[in-house]
Amino acid sequence: MPSQILSDPDYLPSVAARAWRWGSEMLEVADTLRAPGLPTEMAEAAASVMAHWEKDKDQYELAVSDVLEHLRHRL
């Protein structure tokens, strides 16, 4: 992933549209980290963010303002 994508707000709707793929994987990462006693907070936080976008599944045409609003309030 090119680094400029991370600083491009117009890319955020694409991330939200695909977030449903990664939420459960982040919870699996947390479980994997938990087993040997490693910190799980980062993976759990990522899963939480992805959960805010669950209803945005495959909606690539969302406005950036909508994507950010969905982060503020789980729908």
Side-chain angles (χ1 to χ4, degrees), residues 46-74:
S48 176
V49 168
M50 301 306 163
H52 283 77
W53 286 328
E54 283 177 4
K55 292 191 177 183
D56 297 336
K57 179 180 179 180
D58 297 331
Q59 295 185 45
Y60 291 92
E61 301 303 320
L62 287 174
V64 172
S65 59
D66 291 335
V67 170
L68 294 175
E69 184 63 23
H70 297 168
L71 280 178
R72 291 183 193 96
H73 307 284
R74 196 176 287 192

Side-chain angles (χ1 to χ4, degrees), residues 1-58:
M1 175 181 296
S3 62
Q4 67 269 23
I5 286 176
L6 299 176
S7 63
D8 182 0
D10 292 331
Y11 188 70
L12 201 53
S14 177
V15 172
R18 294 178 286 140
W20 63 272
R21 300 178 187 174
W22 304 314
S24 61
E25 290 178 7
M26 290 296 101
L27 293 175
E28 289 176 14
V29 169
D31 288 341
T32 300
L33 292 169
R34 187 176 296 107
L38 298 172
T40 61
E41 292 85 359
M42 193 91 153
E44 291 167 342
S48 176
V49 168
M50 301 306 163
H52 283 77
W53 286 328
E54 283 177 4
K55 292 191 177 183
D56 297 336
K57 179 180 179 180
D58 297 331

